[in-house]
Amino acid sequence: MELPVISNTPPTPLTTSGGGCSSSGCGTAPDALGHLPDHIRAKVQDHPCYSEEAHHYFARMHVAVAPACNIQCNYCNRKYDCANESRPGVVSELLSPDQAIKKVLAVAAKIPQMTVLGIAGPGDPLANPTRTFETFRQLAERAPDIKLCVSTNGLNLPKYADEIAKYNIDHVTITINCIDPEIGARIYPWIFWENRRIRGVAGARILIEQQQKGLEMLTARGILVKVNSVLIPGVNDRHLKEVSRVVKARGAFLHNVMPLIAEAEHGTYYGLMGQASPSAEQLQELQDDCSGDMAMMRHCRQCRADAVGLLGEDRGAEFTMDKIDQLSLDDIDYAAAMVRRKEVHDAIIDQLDQQRETRRAMPPPLSGDSRNPENLSPAWRTVLMAVAGKNGVVGEHFGHAREFLIYEASPSGVRFVSHRKTGLYCSGTESCGEGDEASASSLVGEPESVLDKTIATLTGCEVVLCSKIGYEPWGKLEASGIQPNGEHAMEPIEDAVLAVYKEMGSAGKLAEKPVGQASSRKAA
Amino acid sequence: MALQIVHACVNCCACVEVCPNEAIYADTPHFLIDEAKCTECLGEYADPQCAAICPIECAIVNELGDPINPPGSLTGIPLEKLIELGLYKAAA
């Protein structure tokens, strides 16, 4: 391993490396947090998990120091660990607090964009208080420029709220899937509470009480709280809007509704029992529903409990434990790294400020009837379009897109609504140990082609914009009622979506319901 | 009398945190219980603490080798389903 004394990457903080989704494209709704008071905005402007803008530029890492858990969730299987997997609760190696410190300092020196260190598992951090707080204590001392955050199921939150405040942990994420114990009993089979395993409704009731109490205690201490909810169709889908309303009233500043991940090969209760995951459309509908009540987060990538890097990428493999173990703390000149980190952070913040200024100076592309230079008819219906984006432009080949950015065009403008992944979470069963038997029995028959799956994720979209697209997908997309469009390659995404919307309007296609296939453009 | 941790253990440490006797220690390939220290929590708690928090079925057994948390008891997955999926073989 190269010893990361100080970063050897060139000082180009604004080049977002490799993975993730680069640039404005990925749902930069800059004012999604606009309702927040200034001091909170200042706190989240460089936090990739909270600020949609920040997540293009700032990186986060999780250290897996917290293996124990005190509840069981039906979407979690503690036996599962697969290097190909990227989802919460999964890690490849556990770290001791000392190893975690070394890893964090090494990463922070090598990736100056890394602003945030989280402890998110793989169990519940507050069920591992000694390891969790020892890690935070050492980090607060050695790396005061790193923001600390913690994710929890909330059961032990009231007990540790003061300790969380003590270590200057200013962001906490609580996973709250319900506020009704009857619903909770269908999500949590048991909790461990006051020396007993408590099952069913009784257990769920205690968990919910502690979560809500913990949320209030944290907000009373000035700690920012984000609430994560897992959308489980048929279980809490109708209930989450109420959850959103209640957690907002108790002081949460952001709500992140994530889709259930339930594959049989993961061996979870939901996976094995055939519980459906939500479609991208269902998720989006619910996010829209809840957004009336509070700020919704739409750029979450549901990362692993040991992820490293920008959201959507994972550089964990560069910092494995054997490499970290070879390091001595003395090898890391953190004081020097901190100077450099500050320069990089300041440059990014400056650029974000400038972008914000520019946007403010420009007239909004679309606004009310009085200023409607775009000639959009108020009678036009709303259209969803999928974009294979890269660096803020329609820059990706259809077949290379690992995710599509979904935009909504309507007479009131163009807005980002979500991203939809195309890739599989797990590419094989060979290394998945526990999953083998389950997947063998569930994967009988002809597998759906990757293309079919991709098209299925685009359900509800009428147009897909990309830089290029092959003949086969073109035909299949058209047959599915989705119009491929390669004519706006390399144009800024919002402009391209607006242009296509106007073309559709002028061609009279926005007067009524979608009509399946539309134009006769040729494949690029 | 003592409980025992067996191969199903995934080393999540949850039991270590709650054992009142500090009887549980890390080992390879999994945690073990020091039988000289284990009291099965008799007289202290209604349930043995390790088995009350353990998330893995069949990882902790009693003196007879019977699992305190038998298959399906923690996940709620019905036995028939586990058998159907080949995840559990009924004792012959």
Side-chain angles (χ1 to χ4, degrees):
Chain A
M1 174 192 191
E2 276 174 294
L3 291 185
V5 176
I6 51 172
S7 172
N8 51 12
T9 48
T12 48
L14 305 182
T15 330
T16 54
S17 56
C21 46
S22 331
S23 124
S24 95
C26 174
T28 302
D31 288 328
L33 301 176
H35 67 290
L36 296 174
D38 285 349
H39 71 281
I40 295 185
R41 282 183 66 127
K43 267 188 173 181
V44 299
Q45 65 175 353
D46 58 353
H47 196 310
C49 304
Y50 290 170
S51 159
E52 289 190 71
E53 270 182 326
H55 94 274
H56 301 294
Y57 306 106
F58 292 109
R60 52 74 179 102
M61 73 180 287
H62 289 160
V63 284
V65 297
C69 197
N70 48 11
I71 70 173
Q72 175 70 50
C73 304
N74 280 335
Y75 44 75
C76 181
N77 172 11
R78 296 307 312 280
K79 288 190 244 181
Y80 199 77
D81 167 33
C82 169
N84 294 327
E85 264 281 298
S86 180
R87 70 187 161 99
V90 170
V91 297
S92 294
E93 55 194 5
L94 284 171
L95 303 178
S96 69
D98 288 342
Q99 288 171 320
I101 304 306
K102 272 203 270 182
K103 182 171 178 179
V104 174
L105 296 181
V107 171
K110 177 121 182 201
I111 308 179
Q113 296 89 338
M114 198 277 271
T115 49
V116 170
L117 179 278
I119 300 182
D124 185 74
L126 302 183
N128 303 259
T130 316
R131 280 181 289 269
T132 295
F133 289 114
E134 172 60 15
T135 307
F136 283 141
R137 188 190 61 75
Q138 285 201 43
L139 277 178
E141 208 176 280
R142 291 176 184 272
D145 65 334
I146 296 178
K147 281 179 193 287
L148 305 177
C149 52
V150 63
S151 300
T152 176
N153 61 41
L155 183 60
N156 280 349
L157 200 44
K159 195 166 159 189
Y160 294 112
D162 283 325
E163 195 139 5
I164 287 171
K166 191 169 102 189
Y167 293 116
N168 210 15
I169 297 163
D170 53 9
H171 304 76
V172 174
T173 297
I174 316 175
T175 300
I176 298 180
N177 296 318
C178 57
I179 47 172
D180 175 346
E182 299 286 340
I183 293 173
R186 297 171 62 196
I187 303 172
Y188 309 104
W190 55 264
I191 68 166
F192 180 81
W193 179 250
E194 294 181 344
N195 305 101
R196 304 289 295 266
R197 197 189 304 267
I198 300 177
R199 299 171 188 265
V201 177
R205 178 172 293 117
I206 295 167
L207 176 64
I208 291 165
E209 281 166 9
Q210 297 304 308
Q211 288 171 335
Q212 296 298 322
K213 190 172 163 199
L215 168 58
E216 281 183 342
M217 290 174 74
L218 290 177
T219 50
R221 284 159 182 74
I223 295 164
L224 286 184
V225 181
K226 163 168 132 283
V227 168
N228 278 353
S229 299
V230 180
L231 169 58
I232 310 161
V235 177
N236 68 352
D237 46 349
R238 287 156 193 249
H239 180 55
L240 282 181
K241 203 176 166 193
E242 175 69 0
V243 171
S244 210
R245 197 186 59 74
V246 167
V247 299
K248 184 192 183 189
R250 291 221 159 87
F253 85 106
L254 189 60
H255 191 194
N256 175 27
V257 177
M258 307 178 293
L260 171 70
I261 299 173
E263 304 290 335
E265 57 265 37
H266 296 160
T268 61
Y269 174 87
Y270 283 147
L272 294 175
M273 298 301 283
Q275 165 68 48
S277 295
S279 67
E281 269 181 307
Q282 277 176 303
L283 176 67
Q284 192 177 304
E285 200 177 305
L286 190 87
Q287 288 176 335
D288 285 347
D289 251 13
C290 295
S291 64
D293 284 317
M294 82 182 291
M296 295 297 295
M297 169 163 168
R298 296 171 191 265
H299 65 280
C300 176
R301 297 300 194 279
Q302 293 178 285
C303 52
R304 295 162 57 104
D306 58 359
V308 174
L310 292 166
L311 295 201
E313 73 168 8
D314 190 351
R315 296 175 63 180
E318 292 170 43
F319 302 95
T320 51
M321 208 152 84
D322 52 328
K323 292 173 183 167
I324 299 300
D325 276 340
Q326 290 167 21
L327 275 180
S328 140
L329 274 180
D330 300 333
D331 295 335
I332 305 170
D333 182 354
Y334 199 74
M338 216 154 75
V339 173
R340 196 188 134 64
R341 287 168 49 74
K342 177 149 182 18
E343 289 167 11
V344 170
H345 295 177
D346 288 349
I348 298 174
I349 297 282
D350 275 357
Q351 197 204 343
L352 288 176
D353 283 347
Q354 276 171 25
Q355 284 176 0
R356 224 169 280 135
E357 262 325 296
T358 317
R359 267 196 303 269
R360 213 166 310 171
M362 282 188 340
L366 298 167
S367 44
D369 292 321
S370 56
R371 294 181 295 162
N372 186 356
E374 304 290 351
N375 285 326
L376 301 179
S377 158
W380 288 353
R381 64 186 167 79
T382 298
V383 173
L384 286 183
M385 302 191 200
V387 181
K390 197 180 195 175
N391 299 322
V393 298
V394 182
E396 189 67 278
H397 190 294
F398 178 82
H400 296 170
R402 291 172 62 198
E403 65 178 9
F404 286 91
L405 310 170
I406 309 299
Y407 281 79
E408 181 193 271
S410 72
S412 55
V414 172
R415 71 175 182 117
F416 169 80
V417 283
S418 66
H419 64 91
R420 297 185 187 173
K421 282 180 190 166
T422 57
L424 298 171
Y425 283 101
C426 180
S427 55
T429 53
E430 275 175 23
S431 53
C432 295
E434 290 294 331
D436 290 357
E437 295 167 84
S439 59
S441 56
S442 64
L443 294 178
V444 192
E446 190 69 20
E448 215 181 354
S449 81
V450 174
L451 177 58
D452 289 339
K453 281 191 179 168
T454 301
I455 292 176
T457 63
L458 299 180
T459 306
C461 299
E462 294 180 44
V463 178
V464 59
L465 289 118
C466 50
S467 64
K468 273 190 171 180
I469 179 168
Y471 184 77
E472 192 202 350
W474 183 284
K476 281 203 169 186
L477 280 165
E478 276 198 337
S480 313
I482 303 171
Q483 180 59 50
N485 185 322
E487 298 197 342
H488 295 272
M490 308 318 287
E491 288 177 21
I493 293 173
E494 281 88 348
D495 297 353
V497 170
L498 182 62
V500 173
Y501 188 63
K502 281 160 62 185
E503 285 163 27
M504 292 173 79
S506 318
K509 289 175 193 158
L510 298 177
E512 54 214 71
K513 287 284 157 209
V515 283
Q517 297 145 24
S519 83
S520 57
R521 286 183 203 115
K522 277 189 189 156
Chain B
M1 55 183 286
L3 300 178
Q4 225 189 322
I5 295 175
V6 295
H7 64 278
C9 169
V10 296
N11 292 309
C12 79
C13 304
C15 55
V16 181
E17 307 282 332
V18 298
C19 174
N21 302 312
E22 296 185 12
I24 303 174
Y25 59 96
D27 203 339
T28 313
H30 55 74
F31 283 84
L32 293 172
I33 296 176
D34 181 341
E35 62 178 304
K37 289 184 180 171
C38 176
T39 62
E40 299 188 9
C41 296
L42 273 184
E44 275 190 273
Y45 297 108
D47 305 306
Q49 294 297 285
C50 55
I53 197 169
C54 179
I56 305 295
E57 292 159 356
C58 303
I60 299 182
V61 301
N62 64 18
E63 283 180 322
L64 302 173
D66 294 331
I68 314 275
N69 299 306
S73 65
L74 300 183
T75 59
I77 300 169
L79 265 191
E80 313 81 74
K81 188 80 188 174
L82 291 173
I83 293 167
E84 177 196 323
L85 294 169
L87 296 174
Y88 174 67
K89 289 174 187 67

